[in-house]
Amino acid sequence: MWAEREIVVKQTKALGRDAFAIETPDGQLLGTARQTRKMSNLVKASRGVEVFDAAGAHVLSIEDPANFIRDQYVVHLADPPMELARLTKRFAWLGSKFDVEVAGLPDLQIQGQVFDLNYALTSQGQEIARVDAEYSGVGRMLMGKTSYRVAIQPGLDQREHAAVIGIALAIDMRRAKMRRNSG
């Protein structure tokens, strides 16, 4: 999964716990992701997403820790355990802005329509990845299921690659959270 230049994330379940398939553009399953709901999360008031490779091994976690002022998301590699990225919501009159930190990628910015799932990740002004929403049919749209393509530029190491995928899932978590809170 960390070597693919392009992946498609398809939401497979939108009721209860969200679930996603992570595939190549031609439909080969690379992994899955699912929303976590653990008893400890009720105490901490945090939510998360766990990512598994095609063999079922836990490879990545995205956490939405409890915070009261600015939403924050943390991306963790499972093995070896380490923080890969941190997104912090900035105050913005219109739209959503994030401060993004990834080791090895200076001056990381998110540019575009974040909540429409059409944006680019840039480092020092150079695009390193692009996320674009995909139309997946009226039925899937009415059920609230999203699909999006993540295109990653060559030159990123596996940890940076994993961080990009984690950032895309974290932004989708934020989008789903805002949709739930508005309706």
Side-chain angles (χ1 to χ4, degrees):
M1 184 175 348
W2 308 144
E4 297 292 326
R5 294 251 340 265
E6 193 167 13
I7 63 167
V8 177
V9 178
K10 293 181 180 177
Q11 190 169 7
T12 57
K13 185 178 174 195
L15 298 173
R17 281 196 234 182
D18 293 344
F20 302 86
I22 302 170
E23 304 174 343
T24 62
D26 63 356
Q28 178 187 353
L29 185 68
L30 298 170
T32 59
R34 69 170 184 240
Q35 182 181 6
T36 59
R37 282 216 180 114
K38 300 176 186 167
M39 200 53 130
S40 61
N41 289 348
L42 296 174
V43 176
K44 295 188 300 187
S46 70
R47 301 171 310 119
V49 169
E50 291 179 334
V51 179
F52 301 88
D53 65 16
H58 180 219
V59 293
L60 197 66
S61 295
I62 300 97
E63 183 184 8
D64 174 9
N67 36 44
F68 299 103
I69 297 176
R70 297 188 323 161
D71 249 353
Q72 194 171 76
Y73 299 84
V74 184
V75 179
H76 297 276
L77 189 63
D79 187 29
M82 68 175 54
E83 183 177 310
L84 295 177
R86 181 176 296 268
L87 286 84
T88 305
K89 169 90 172 64
R90 271 192 274 149
F91 177 77
W93 288 107
L94 297 172
S96 279
K97 305 284 184 195
F98 293 91
D99 292 323
V100 185
E101 300 169 34
V102 175
L105 295 172
D107 190 31
L108 199 61
Q109 301 287 320
I110 299 172
Q111 299 180 345
Q113 309 299 315
V114 173
F115 284 130
D116 292 335
L117 291 176
N118 291 302
Y119 57 89
L121 294 171
T122 63
S123 177
Q124 296 179 323
Q126 299 294 316
E127 186 172 299
I128 61 166
R130 172 144 209 84
V131 176
D132 289 302
E134 291 196 334
Y135 178 72
S136 54
V138 173
R140 290 179 54 80
M141 183 181 71
L142 292 174
M143 292 297 294
K145 295 179 180 176
T146 58
S147 293
Y148 50 95
R149 185 174 300 259
V150 181
I152 301 170
Q153 297 297 319
L156 299 183
D157 66 30
Q158 285 191 341
R159 289 183 181 152
E160 293 165 343
H161 202 103
V164 166
I165 293 170
I167 289 167
L169 288 166
I171 289 172
D172 194 26
M173 283 175 65
R174 169 72 179 163
R175 189 168 96 64
K177 182 178 181 180
M178 296 307 295
R179 193 173 54 235
R180 275 192 304 275
N181 290 343
S182 70

